[in-house]
Amino acid sequence: MLDIKGLKVKLEEEDKAILKGVDLHVDAGSVHAIMGPNGSGKSTLSYVLSGRDGYEVTGGSATLDGADLLDLEPEERAAAGLFLAFQYPVEIPGVGNMTFLRTALNAQRKARGEEEVSAAEFLKLIRAKAKTLHIDADMLKRPVNVGFSGGEKKRNEILQMAVLEPKMCILDETDSGLDVDAMKLVAEGVNALRDEGRGFLVITHYQRLLDHIAPDVVHIMADGRIVKTGGPDLALEVEKNGYADILAEVA
Amino acid sequence: MALPARREAAQAFADGLSLPKGGWAGPARTAALARLVESGLPFRRDEYWRYTDPAPLLAEAPHVADDTAASAFEALERVRLVFRGGVFDAEASDDPKAAGVELLSRAGGSDIHWARETYGTLEARGQTPVARPLAALNTALAPEGVLIRATKPNATPVELIYHVEPGASEVFLHHVVRLDPGASLTLLETGTAAGRGNTVLEVDIAEGATFHHLRTQGGDPARQVVSHVFARLGREARFRSFTLTAGGALSRNESVIELAGEDGSAHVAGVAMGGKGVSQDDTVFITHDAERCESRQVFKKVLRKGMTGVFQGKILVKQGAQKTDGYQISQALLLDDDASFLAKPELEIYADDVQCSHGSTSGAIDETALYYLRSRGVPKAEAEHLLVQAFLAEALAEIADPALAEAVLGRLTDGLAELR
Ligand SMILES: Nc1ncnc2c1ncn2[C@@H]1O[C@H](COP(=O)(O)OP(=O)(O)OP(=O)(O)O)[C@@H](O)[C@H]1O
Ligand SMILES: [Mg+2]
């Protein structure tokens, strides 16, 4: 499914290498977690995969089901099935949450040659999904993320994921800023989407989310590289001892 | 040019004009011409013309093609009055009499008329503290226009539809509207009157009356517009004016509004958009001369390649106009680096218990928001469109009537699509 090979990325504006050769392979049906110290390049990886400006790929490749992601526009990557739940969801004053989501869903469907969803169908769909995430109708009507609390913004990301049903979901610290109950809701949202055809890459600092979303594989990222890969136990080890031992071991 | 020389030039210019003769409007025309000579023709060094060069407006008027776009208000019930090259086209129009509308060209011959009190009067009041010579010129010269006296609430809207006529490159239209106490009227204006259309609208709004004004200005790339709206509001009167400008070479839209009775409310709003070679200027002057009045100015401009957008807006609160609530915002969205926005917001306040706020911003599209939308699958052009609409929302919200708002939104969407 998602195949990243030797990915090297620098900032466009300055000569600063951020990703220094990332190798990562996520199979359909599996959940991978990435942990790693602040500034190690986790968000950068997610931005580069989703097509944000400001980065220059200097080497390597990234494909989704064989399609060269790095060659596509951001909207084409979305239509190809890639989704990023942002570490810092963006506020868009003046654009209604519902309008935004329906436009996005229909744009993706159109790009894939599928039929667009009618207003009535969409309403039904979003109401059902919002309910399971405890997002009230008022939040749906408000402009995208404007005036949302930190936790509400994160739940809104998961709502978008639930509506768009992407093949490959990247979650960048969706757990940070969530209270215990909201964390459970988010985890349930993720688990509800888990199936044979879908892959997850969950970026997190804490074991707590992983308690709810049992990952198949855990990676440690440091200084722009995946430095260690293991099973769920690796996350527990980080939780207990921090990164010092692991970094010393690979150095 | 020094003022005496300008006056001489204006005199020479005035001597070359011939005014429509006789009738009740005669004295008003002569007086207007004298005002024009007194103030001189506008030129670049005038403070009031610093951002928009008036020279093209004084040169020979351009010839333009007719506006082929259908009226934005097609879906609404209204009385349609068509003007071709500034001449009333009875064939193409509804019956003006049935709607209580008279034509200046026909009513102008008699000696007495209700419009006599208003014609040129509000324009003359609007000449201080800033001269508006092109409005005086209009009062002196305009051979045609509508005279509407609204006596009841909920009169059928009147639409003035302008078309170009090859023979007439410059057209003057002067409209007078008077609303009796408690009356209400909606006036719509559509299209391009000529290569250069100079229109004046004088609106006298009596106690408790409501006037709505909406217009979409034609988009021929060469056309020029000079428009002046002069409004005077009585007690508890309401005034709403909205202008959509999409394209055209030069548009100078001046609004001069006087809140003369307590508890009046005046809103002027507009959306302008365009690209290369487009210059668009909203110049607004609102005077609060009574207690507890409210005024709003909301102007948004979407500027593409090389377009210049101008906003000059002033709120003058006179002594004694306590509890004034004044608001003014002008914002530009610069879609290209070479577009420019020039704004001059002004407050002049002589009362102590007032609330006035004003703001002006200009900036590019929010790249982060654009990326966020695209990352959800919304194509770039569509994402930009959503953000542009969001930017314009506050101005559109000024159109209180949903059907009218819908009509304007339709036209606006077309205009934005052409901008891409
Ligand atoms: N646009 C940018 N300009 C300057 N530095 C940048 C930019 N983008 C990323 N960086 C730098 O790249 C490094 C990696 O940042 P990134 O946000 O990917 O880290 P992260 O692993 O997500 O960290 P965290 O756990 O704190 O979220 C950091 O040192 C960061 O300062
Ligand atoms: Mg991060």
Side-chain angles (χ1 to χ4, degrees):
Chain A
M1 171 154 264
L2 180 66
D3 209 15
I4 305 170
K5 287 202 182 103
L7 187 63
K8 288 186 184 159
V9 169
K10 71 179 257 306
L11 292 177
E12 214 168 52
E13 300 274 292
E14 50 185 294
D15 239 355
K16 184 176 172 186
I18 313 270
L19 301 183
K20 301 170 180 172
V22 174
D23 291 290
L24 189 67
H25 181 86
V26 181
D27 275 324
S30 68
V31 176
H32 288 225
I34 300 187
M35 304 179 85
N38 293 131
S40 55
K42 304 180 296 295
S43 292
T44 302
L45 175 64
S46 69
Y47 289 147
V48 170
L49 292 176
S50 67
R52 185 173 198 152
D53 279 346
Y55 303 100
E56 192 184 316
V57 176
T58 53
S61 67
T63 58
L64 180 62
D65 286 337
D68 181 1
L69 283 178
L70 304 176
D71 200 34
L72 300 177
E73 297 294 336
E75 57 268 32
E76 294 170 330
R77 301 180 194 202
L82 186 77
F83 179 91
L84 167 64
F86 283 61
Q87 180 172 3
Y88 305 107
V90 179
E91 297 188 8
I92 312 183
V95 177
N97 219 2
M98 293 270 256
T99 313
F100 158 59
L101 251 180
R102 192 169 148 229
T103 309
L105 179 63
N106 279 334
Q108 288 200 17
R109 294 182 72 99
K110 205 168 134 193
R112 292 194 292 258
E114 297 164 14
E115 206 165 312
E116 294 188 19
V117 176
S118 75
E121 284 169 321
F122 178 75
L123 203 64
K124 225 169 105 185
L125 173 72
I126 192 150
R127 281 207 182 122
K129 305 274 186 193
K131 199 168 160 203
T132 58
L133 285 162
H134 293 216
I135 290 175
D136 61 30
D138 176 58
M139 249 170 81
L140 293 177
K141 279 188 215 135
R142 272 157 47 191
V144 180
N145 292 325
V146 176
F148 287 26
S149 75
E152 286 170 344
K153 284 181 182 166
K154 296 300 180 75
R155 269 187 284 151
N156 200 30
E157 294 291 289
I158 300 304
L159 173 67
Q160 293 170 33
M161 185 171 87
V163 169
L164 297 171
E165 298 185 324
K167 280 197 296 203
M168 179 67 221
C169 310
I170 305 174
L171 280 71
D172 190 359
E173 292 196 30
T174 304
D175 51 339
S176 51
L178 290 181
D179 64 39
V180 182
D181 296 331
M183 170 114 52
K184 266 196 195 139
L185 284 175
V186 164
E188 280 164 20
V190 171
N191 288 332
L193 279 175
R194 277 177 93 154
D195 73 22
E196 292 300 292
R198 191 167 280 130
F200 287 88
L201 189 58
V202 180
I203 299 170
T204 183
H205 286 294
Y206 307 107
Q207 171 60 33
R208 183 174 283 159
L209 180 69
L210 302 180
D211 284 342
H212 299 288
I213 309 172
D216 303 301
V217 183
V218 175
H219 307 274
I220 306 297
M221 187 168 208
D223 193 24
R225 285 188 192 88
I226 302 290
V227 293
K228 189 167 183 178
T229 296
D233 293 350
L234 190 52
L236 292 169
E237 190 189 324
V238 167
E239 181 91 347
K240 216 162 81 203
N241 303 326
Y243 293 107
D245 293 353
I246 297 170
L247 296 184
E249 177 189 320
V250 299
Chain B
M1 217 187 323
L3 203 63
R6 290 181 65 194
R7 206 168 283 166
E8 270 164 43
Q11 184 67 58
F13 174 75
D15 288 344
L17 302 173
S18 74
L19 308 190
K21 290 268 165 334
W24 54 265
R29 293 184 188 281
T30 316
L33 198 60
R35 282 196 290 282
L36 171 67
V37 172
E38 174 64 27
S39 59
L41 294 164
F43 80 135
R44 189 63 191 259
R45 295 227 300 279
D46 285 339
E47 185 61 23
Y48 221 46
W49 290 91
R50 241 178 76 197
Y51 300 136
T52 297
D53 186 358
L57 296 173
L58 304 172
E60 196 168 331
H63 283 271
V64 300
D66 199 4
D67 193 351
T68 49
S71 161
F73 307 109
E74 223 47 83
L76 296 157
E77 195 204 330
R78 73 240 193 262
V79 177
R80 300 167 63 260
L81 303 175
V82 177
F83 295 84
R84 244 168 239 291
V87 177
F88 181 63
D89 183 345
E91 290 276 286
S93 302
D94 294 327
D95 181 9
K97 268 201 227 93
V101 179
E102 289 175 272
L103 292 164
L104 178 60
S105 62
R106 296 184 196 167
S110 57
D111 285 334
I112 44 168
H113 197 279
W114 61 262
R116 184 181 177 159
E117 276 173 46
T118 311
Y119 189 93
T121 307
L122 298 187
E123 175 260 295
R125 288 178 73 87
Q127 297 286 346
T128 37
V130 199
R132 304 172 200 277
L134 298 174
L137 177 67
N138 177 295
T139 300
L141 285 184
E144 190 55 290
V146 293
L147 311 174
I148 309 177
R149 175 125 186 215
T151 54
K152 312 183 296 279
N154 303 317
T156 310
V158 174
E159 181 180 17
L160 309 178
I161 300 167
Y162 305 132
H163 285 297
V164 167
E165 183 72 19
S169 60
E170 179 165 32
V171 157
F172 293 86
L173 289 162
H174 193 117
H175 311 301
V176 176
V177 177
R178 195 149 125 195
L179 292 107
D180 287 348
S184 68
L185 178 74
T186 298
L187 182 70
L188 311 167
E189 293 182 88
T190 303
T192 304
R196 181 184 303 136
N198 178 327
T199 60
V200 165
L201 167 63
E202 293 179 288
V203 196
D204 207 346
I205 312 171
E207 193 179 317
T210 299
F211 179 69
H212 282 257
H213 175 228
L214 258 107
R215 60 184 167 182
T216 62
Q217 299 182 319
D220 185 284
R223 71 107 186 95
Q224 304 172 347
V225 161
V226 188
S227 81
H228 291 82
V229 177
F230 298 96
R232 177 167 57 186
L233 282 78
R235 201 156 58 81
E236 289 174 22
R238 289 158 65 86
F239 171 89
R240 301 284 182 268
S241 178
F242 182 95
T243 303
L244 174 65
T245 310
L250 199 167
S251 312
R252 165 89 165 197
N253 296 317
E254 297 192 24
S255 299
V256 186
I257 297 154
E258 189 184 345
L259 289 148
E262 295 84 54
D263 300 294
S265 158
H267 294 194
V268 207
V271 165
M273 60 184 92
K276 202 168 188 300
V278 178
S279 215
Q280 194 275 352
D281 175 331
D282 289 296
T283 290
V284 181
F285 198 114
I286 299 186
T287 305
H288 283 257
D289 198 10
E291 287 190 12
R292 294 184 308 277
C293 290
E294 175 236 19
S295 73
R296 285 172 70 83
Q297 303 171 42
V298 182
F299 288 87
K300 306 263 180 161
K301 301 176 199 279
V302 182
L303 312 176
R304 269 263 180 238
K305 292 188 182 315
M307 174 171 171
T308 306
V310 173
F311 174 77
Q312 305 189 94
K314 178 156 180 171
I315 307 175
L316 168 64
V317 181
K318 288 201 174 171
Q319 216 173 359
Q322 302 296 7
K323 308 278 184 213
T324 285
D325 179 0
Y327 174 75
Q328 182 197 83
I329 182 94
S330 64
Q331 295 182 302
L333 187 61
L334 309 172
L335 293 182
D336 291 296
D337 293 343
D338 54 354
S340 62
F341 177 55
L342 306 161
K344 187 179 176 193
E346 278 184 289
L347 293 177
E348 195 177 326
I349 301 175
Y350 298 100
D352 49 21
D353 185 13
V354 302
Q355 220 181 1
C356 281
S357 63
H358 66 95
S360 184
T361 65
S362 74
I365 212 149
D366 180 347
E367 287 298 331
T368 310
L370 192 63
Y371 159 62
Y372 188 70
L373 290 169
R374 296 178 72 189
S375 81
R376 296 302 182 243
V378 184
K380 187 170 183 225
E382 212 173 327
E384 268 185 4
H385 185 68
L386 276 177
L387 295 175
V388 169
Q389 278 202 346
F391 166 76
L392 297 176
E394 187 187 5
L396 286 170
E398 287 295 319
I399 308 173
D401 182 318
L404 291 174
E406 185 77 14
V408 170
L409 186 64
R411 177 53 54 92
L412 193 142
T413 308
D414 295 348
L416 288 174
E418 278 169 32
L419 267 190
R420 275 181 202 160

